[in-house]
Structures are given as C-alpha cells and as structure tokens.
Amino acid sequence: MELDQLRQQALAELNAVEDEAGLRSWNSHYLGKSGALTQALKRVGQLPPEERPGYGQQVNALKEALLAAYERKKQQLHEQEIARSLAAQALDVTLPGRPVLRGRLHPATQVMRDILAIFAELGFQVYRSREVEDDLTNFELLNMPPHHPARDLWDTFHTTTPGILLRTHTSPGQIHVMRQYCPRPIRVVLPGMCYRYEQITARSEIQFQQVEGLAIGESISLADLIGTLQTFAQRFFGGQRRLRIRNSYFPFTEPSVEVDVDCILCQAGSAADTRAAEPSGPSSPCTLCKGTGWLEILGAGMVHPVVLRNGGYDPDRFQGFAFGMGPQRMAMLKYAIHDIRLFWGNDLRFLEQF
Ligand code: DAH
C-alpha cells in the first residue's frame, strides 16, 4: 500500500515538473542517496523475514519504473527547451560556425619558390642582393659605361641622390656575388624585385621580379648553360620541353642568347619540322604563342670578360654563364594569365585561384 502511494505521488510530482531544476530536486527527493526509495529499501530490515524478498522486489521494480519515467521526462524537457529557444530567438545554435578564412601564399611567391627549388636541386644557392643600387653596379660594371646606348633598354627610376637608383634588373647582383666569392667557383640564383620607369600595360609593370642565375668556374661552357636551362624548363613547365636558342645581344654577356621553350599550349614548336609552326591554315593561331610555336622565357649568355674582371675574376682562367628570367612572365605562360597587372593589383578574385 505504502509503495503504491509512493509511486502515485512520485509520478504525479514528476508530471508537474516544469524545468531542469525541478527535475533535479525531484530526482534527489525520490532516487537520491537519502531519497524516498532508499528509505523504503531500508525498511526491509523491520519486516518479518518471509515478507522481505517480496518487498525488496517491489521496491526495486518501483525504482526501475521511476528511473524510466525520469529519463522520459528529461528527454521531454530537453525537447521543449530546444523548441522554446528556437521560437524565442531565431538563432540555430546547431548551425556550423563561419569558416575562418585561411591565407595563402601570393602566386608570385609560389612561382618564385618553385623556381628557386628547382635551381636548388641543381646546386644553385640563393643570393639576396639590394634593390637600391648605384649607377656603377647597375650599369657600368656590367659593361655599360655612361652614354652606352644599351642603357636605353632600361628606363630607370633615379633617386634624388645622384647616382643612386632602383635596380632595373637583378644583374648587378652578379657583381656583388663575384666580389664576395672571388676567386672561388660560384653557382647562385639571385631573386628579387626590379623597377622600371615604364608605361603600365598588360605586358609591362613598373615593378616585377626577376631571377638571375650565375655560374663561374674554370671549365664552364655554353653547353652547361643550355643543359641547365633545359633541365629547368622541363621541371618548371613539365613534360619533354624543347628549347630554342636564338642569337641576341646583352652588354654583359658574350655570346648572348635568348631562350624560347616550345609552346606548352599548342606544342607546335615541338613538331618535327619546326617550320611547320608558322601560322597555318584557316584555324585560329594559338593564343599563347600567337601561332609561332615558341615562348620566349629568358635572356642568357656567357659572362663577358669585362664583367668577370669587374667581379675580380681573371677571364683567362675563369668562365661563367648567366641568365635572367621574369617569374611573372613564366607564371603567365604556365597558367595562361593574360595581364601582368593582376600580380600587384590585389584582386582577391585573382589571388584566390592559386
Ligand atoms: N638583365 C637582363 C634584363 O633585365 C636579363 C639578362 C639577360 C640577364 C642576359 C642575364 C643575361 O644574366 O645573361 O633584361
């Protein structure tokens, strides 16, 4: 009788519970350590021995029932709570949070790192050289005396200090390395920003990066230069790239060459007969190489004896090769980017593609 009453009272009270606090106090009142059920169980000892097992079972059954009712009520309260909070404030706390934007390396940095990594594998160390140069190192020591017409190739930003300018190319770094390492052999790449006072167009910018290469030793030939560039082109552009070496002129190299790689888009340059690379037939010419089949990638040559001497090396004993390339131009070819201004334009729509 007593247990039945207890059951009814407990369930009625549970039914009336409205919140978690009420549920907790109900729980400790009935199911807790000194709760009603524990008390009821303790009374077993006062009963005559033959009634004890039956009574014990009843208490345990009641305990199970109350526990189950408690769990149901708990779940019900939880659901009510969610429904209430959803109704009260239209904030869905179970929605995933906003993703944190992750930064990434600028495409120019990525390409620069790719290039330097390839040359590192070929044994070239990175040598950093200043961006603010003097006229002497940017031009004169590279075999361009004042009034040399080749200076016209580079429109220059001069500072208000006479003779001090922003380097127009990375080549003056050659002089710095040579003077530091002479008479030891050299194998370095010189990456960095260059500046030219030019009109800004889709193909030219007032600032751009270059990677200069320089190797000096006692038995270095044009074949070493070509082999190095061939390996580089294959690694950078992928596949079996072919190079085309054209005669050219730079004041600081003799002989001087310009180097093309066969067009990575239409590959017309790698056709067996390269003359077939002329724009042919009515089909529109390749947008990348304009139908020529070749892409110009850099200037290079054997270091001019005057430059070697200016760097401290005896040109009768030492030879060297040098090259200069523009990573932005390389990236434009590799990823078919049509406008060099995109690199420093800070447009996320461009930057996020890399
Ligand atoms: N300095 C040249 C330029 O800016 C590029 C260049 C050509 C660098 C030939 C070299 C070289 O080292 O050998 O146009």
Side-chain angles (χ1 to χ4, degrees), residues 178-186 216 218 312-313 317-318:
M178 285 196 275
R179 291 189 166 180
Q180 182 176 339
Y181 283 95
C182 173
R184 284 169 285 166
I186 292 176
I216 308 266
E218 291 193 52
Y313 288 82
R317 232 182 99 199
F318 290 91

Side-chain angles (χ1 to χ4, degrees), residues 67-143:
L67 260 176
Y70 167 80
E71 288 301 334
R72 273 198 303 278
K73 183 75 183 181
K74 195 171 153 187
Q75 177 67 20
Q76 188 191 343
L77 279 181
H78 182 65
E79 280 162 15
Q80 275 172 5
E81 178 57 32
I82 289 183
R84 194 172 27 235
S85 89
L86 276 180
Q89 40 180 310
L91 170 69
D92 183 353
V93 291
T94 66
L95 273 181
R98 290 200 195 113
V100 176
L101 286 181
R102 282 216 293 169
R104 70 190 78 198
L105 292 175
H106 191 284
T109 306
Q110 293 181 36
V111 171
M112 182 62 97
R113 289 191 180 182
D114 289 348
I115 293 173
L116 297 183
I118 294 170
F119 281 110
E121 287 181 355
L122 295 171
F124 285 77
Q125 281 181 284
V126 172
Y127 188 94
R128 305 241 168 231
S129 182
R130 66 188 64 156
E131 291 178 22
V132 180
E133 266 296 355
D134 49 27
D135 186 279
L136 184 72
T137 322
N138 194 79
F139 293 118
E140 225 169 309
L141 296 173
L142 291 171
N143 203 24

Side-chain angles (χ1 to χ4, degrees), residues 142 144 153-154 168-172 174 194 196 208 210-214 225 249-258 298-303 321-325:
L142 291 171
M144 281 176 280
L153 291 174
W154 298 276
T168 57
H169 52 174
T170 43
S171 302
Q174 291 189 24
C194 303
R196 289 186 198 170
F208 54 93
Q210 278 194 342
V211 177
E212 188 89 6
L214 179 70
L225 169 64
Y249 172 77
F250 296 103
F252 29 87
T253 42
E254 181 59 36
S256 302
V257 295
E258 265 169 277
L298 53 87
M302 298 303 291
V303 181
F321 67 68
F323 57 84
M325 67 177 81

Side-chain angles (χ1 to χ4, degrees), residues 36-56:
L37 268 168
T38 315
Q39 303 298 337
L41 208 53
K42 279 187 186 150
R43 255 171 265 136
V44 162
Q46 300 159 9
L47 293 176
E50 64 279 8
E51 283 179 27
R52 285 181 192 170
Y55 181 79

